[in-house]
Amino acid sequence: MVRSGRFPKRYSGIKITQSLKLQLKDAIGASMSFSGSALSGNVNSIAVGIYEELAQ
């Protein structure tokens, strides 16, 4: 998209706000789902992965 010139140079405040709301809803839903599973005893252990994006 960058090479073809279709990549936006700037993002509007509305798009950022909408994306932030969507990410927050996803995070809240995932945490509620995990909490429900943990309270019911279905979760015995958890693994956390940390990833780093390297620039080329």
Side-chain angles (χ1 to χ4, degrees):
M1 289 179 72
V2 173
R3 289 182 186 158
S4 65
R6 296 183 337 202
F7 192 76
K9 294 185 187 245
R10 295 185 183 195
Y11 293 98
S12 69
I14 294 171
K15 286 189 177 187
I16 292 173
T17 303
Q18 289 173 344
S19 295
L20 180 61
K21 285 181 182 178
L22 180 63
Q23 291 293 325
L24 284 172
K25 286 179 185 178
D26 286 344
I28 291 169
S31 63
M32 289 174 62
S33 175
F34 177 79
S35 298
S37 294
L39 289 174
S40 68
N42 291 332
V43 177
N44 295 327
S45 62
I46 183 170
V48 177
I50 300 174
Y51 300 93
E52 179 181 356
E53 184 176 330
L54 301 175
Q56 294 183 6

